[in-house]
Amino acid sequence: MKRFPDGFLWGVSTSAYQVEGAVHEDGRVPSIWDTFSHTPGRIDGGGTGDVACDHYHRWQDDLDLIGELGANAYRFSLAWPRLHDARGVAHYDRLIDNLLERGIEPLVTLYHWDLPQSLEEAGGWLNRDTAERFAEHAALCFDAYGDRVRHWITINEPWIVGLLGYRLGLHAPGYQDVRMEITAFHHLLLAHGRAVQELRASRHDGLAGLANALAPHYPFSDDEADVAAASGSDGYVNRFFLDGALKGVYPQDALDLFEGVAGPLDFIRDGDAGVIGTRSDFLGVNYYARRVMRAVPDRTPYPWEVVVEGDAPTTDGGTAGVPMTEAGTEITPGAFTDLLVRLHRDYDVPLIVTENGAVFGDGPGADGRVRDERRVRYVESHVTAVHDAIEQGADVRGYCYWSLMDNFEWALGYAQRFGLVHVDYETLERTIKDSGRYYARMARANALVEPVEVTA
């Protein structure tokens, strides 16, 4: 049996706006996602996080589910809009205490996209001052919970925040401007560094790290232009954030790229690099897909495209090629191993997989059981990929599946289901899927387990 290191964290992940609901309770103030989701046409199929999974009220039952999944860690976010009121602060006190009583390690995210609307009206992540407001938020959280929380994730996926929120307009706050994208990148990283500084200045000795959406890059061909496209995109997606946070310096090729598409980067000030590079204790790794890159010289603002080499029909009615999730994402666990090994080689920092998961739409059968065989196989292959990386020397300390339960998937509404637990959005009834039962067997064994033991 292939075992994982002693003390390995087997976790599940959520974020506040995606699961909590109760958006008008206990003094919570509006966030940019309240505004965005209530704007007609923004959410596919409609829907908001007003109720979501009602985790705010059902959290004790949901902790029972986490226990049934065999998890010894729960990654969740503190809703910044809730912490303006003592009742919101007390809610997370109860949640953290109950996790610890159950032997479940809290992995706490300080910012998972729910910026208070009042800060957006003052400029949001385009305003450098927001990094200071975030540092104040972080200090409040360390003071309230730092005696019990060991792992702090500062910012979730700054690349996605900038890309979807500021350049493509698909996420809150919904802008479409490349200079805004890059400005937001920098201010989010500055906020990360300021939060780590606040932790170091506190009376607590917790561990801090950034959670990045990361993708291994491969050129579509051996052509020099495709090789350059893969390197350029790697700088855009990965190295700008990794080098900034873990080396205290932005990669020059990324700076040149950004200056070429956005003009002078005068929002980067002397001393910022030192703040951003304040020592991190670990790196959060969010992995969903690789990026196979092809050069497109005339494309703006970035001269490349991602090639998806998915399933293709064959003459006998089957398919060949790379398997896909129902979201159109390639399933490439070998690339996951490549990524983890590369991160160990280039940055030599402990790694925690803070998100990894897939969209499949299986629901309960007539007997109430959710037979999500495809997700079972996905979990098997990706946990195996983590083990392979550990065998190759990567210091991976934990794996958190995204997500604990089906939930509000941002601009995609409720159409995509990632969870190990099925949620009936009419009744809010929870049902552990076969993938959840399988995950529990691995977590309890702290080892790879054949899925046939669960699904047969």
Side-chain angles (χ1 to χ4, degrees):
M1 180 179 289
K2 293 185 176 181
R3 296 188 56 80
F4 285 79
D6 291 345
F8 192 79
L9 296 172
W10 292 88
V12 288
S13 296
T14 64
S15 85
Y17 189 74
Q18 292 180 270
V19 298
E20 283 187 351
V23 297
H24 303 298
E25 294 190 33
D26 291 346
R28 181 187 179 276
V29 300
S31 78
I32 56 174
W33 272 95
D34 296 293
T35 301
F36 191 82
S37 66
H38 280 270
T39 302
R42 290 297 199 179
I43 308 300
D44 287 353
T48 72
D50 288 4
V51 176
C53 303
D54 197 31
H55 182 58
Y56 190 74
H57 297 120
R58 300 168 186 251
W59 61 271
Q60 289 179 300
D61 292 338
D62 290 339
L63 296 196
D64 290 341
L65 290 172
I66 293 171
E68 289 190 59
L69 294 173
N72 61 10
Y74 178 36
R75 183 204 169 193
F76 63 96
S77 70
L78 303 173
W80 194 348
R82 287 202 191 281
L83 298 181
H84 291 72
D85 189 284
R87 290 168 293 179
V89 175
H91 167 75
Y92 295 114
D93 261 323
R94 293 188 294 270
L95 177 62
I96 290 166
D97 285 346
N98 272 263
L99 285 168
L100 294 173
E101 288 171 7
R102 297 163 185 258
I104 299 170
E105 180 82 7
L107 308 182
V108 177
T109 305
L110 291 169
Y111 182 69
H112 203 129
W113 305 356
D114 50 356
L115 186 73
Q117 180 63 31
S118 60
L119 289 180
E120 173 59 28
E121 291 166 4
W125 291 113
L126 303 178
N127 182 353
R128 182 184 181 89
D129 188 60
T130 301
E132 290 305 310
R133 302 290 76 74
F134 179 71
E136 294 168 359
H137 162 65
L140 181 154
C141 295
F142 301 146
D143 184 62
Y145 313 118
D147 58 331
R148 288 156 290 161
V149 174
R150 177 104 174 121
H151 291 87
W152 295 97
I153 298 156
T154 55
I155 305 279
N156 185 72
E157 298 185 343
W159 176 58
I160 294 294
V161 174
L163 168 67
L164 297 186
Y166 288 86
R167 181 162 71 86
L168 298 182
L170 300 176
H171 279 190
Y175 297 117
Q176 294 179 301
D177 183 277
V178 68
R179 184 172 177 81
M180 288 183 176
E181 172 190 43
I182 299 162
T183 304
F185 287 165
H186 178 66
H187 289 157
L188 285 157
L189 286 171
L190 192 63
H192 156 75
R194 285 290 293 114
V196 180
Q197 288 183 334
E198 291 293 336
L199 180 60
R200 303 286 180 247
S202 76
R203 65 184 188 277
H204 305 296
D205 59 353
L207 307 175
L210 185 69
N212 285 294
L214 298 171
H217 281 66
Y218 308 89
F220 178 69
S221 73
D222 293 333
D223 186 274
E224 289 183 6
D226 288 348
V227 173
S231 178
S233 178
D234 181 67
Y236 167 61
V237 174
N238 298 325
R239 286 184 287 109
F240 183 78
F241 304 96
L242 296 171
D243 286 15
L246 299 177
K247 295 183 177 181
V249 61
Y250 286 141
Q252 190 59 49
D253 65 326
L255 291 174
D256 292 343
L257 172 71
F258 289 156
E259 193 164 31
V261 300
L265 307 180
D266 50 10
F267 46 82
I268 301 177
R269 300 182 185 175
D270 291 344
D272 285 357
V275 174
I276 293 167
T278 303
R279 179 183 58 82
S280 294
D281 301 294
F282 64 92
L283 174 66
V285 179
N286 293 1
Y287 172 74
Y288 291 96
R290 65 179 184 175
R291 282 168 68 95
V292 177
M293 306 307 301
R294 178 162 53 199
V296 184
D298 296 331
R299 188 170 184 175
T300 59
Y302 304 117
W304 55 62
E305 65 181 1
V306 179
V307 179
V308 178
E309 300 178 324
D311 291 337
T314 60
T315 55
D316 62 358
T319 60
V322 180
M324 306 281 282
T325 71
E326 289 184 7
T329 304
E330 293 180 329
I331 301 174
T332 52
F336 191 17
T337 300
D338 289 349
L339 173 65
L340 295 170
V341 171
R342 178 261 181 106
L343 293 172
H344 171 73
R345 181 192 69 226
D346 291 355
Y347 299 98
D348 191 24
V349 63
L351 308 173
I352 299 175
V353 178
T354 38
E355 290 184 26
N356 172 240
V359 174
F360 298 108
D362 307 83
D367 59 357
R369 178 177 164 186
V370 183
R371 294 172 171 81
D372 59 337
E373 172 67 18
R374 292 169 296 176
R375 184 175 288 102
V376 170
R377 296 294 176 182
Y378 181 94
V379 171
E380 176 200 22
S381 64
H382 285 71
V383 172
T384 299
V386 172
H387 193 277
D388 290 346
I390 292 172
E391 288 189 324
Q392 293 180 49
D395 183 9
V396 186
R397 305 283 179 90
Y399 172 90
C400 297
Y401 181 83
W402 183 273
S403 59
L404 164 62
M405 66 184 81
D406 301 333
N407 56 42
F408 178 75
E409 283 298 333
W410 307 112
L412 298 173
Y414 292 95
Q416 294 193 349
R417 293 181 178 269
F418 277 93
L420 296 176
V421 175
H422 179 274
V423 177
D424 182 321
Y425 294 124
E426 295 295 325
T427 65
L428 297 178
E429 181 180 359
R430 278 83 154 132
T431 304
I432 296 178
K433 304 175 185 180
D434 278 2
S435 57
R437 302 291 182 193
Y438 172 54
Y439 187 74
R441 292 183 66 87
M442 285 196 294
R444 292 186 179 119
N446 195 35
L448 299 176
V449 174
E450 287 293 329
V452 293
E453 297 178 25
V454 176
T455 59

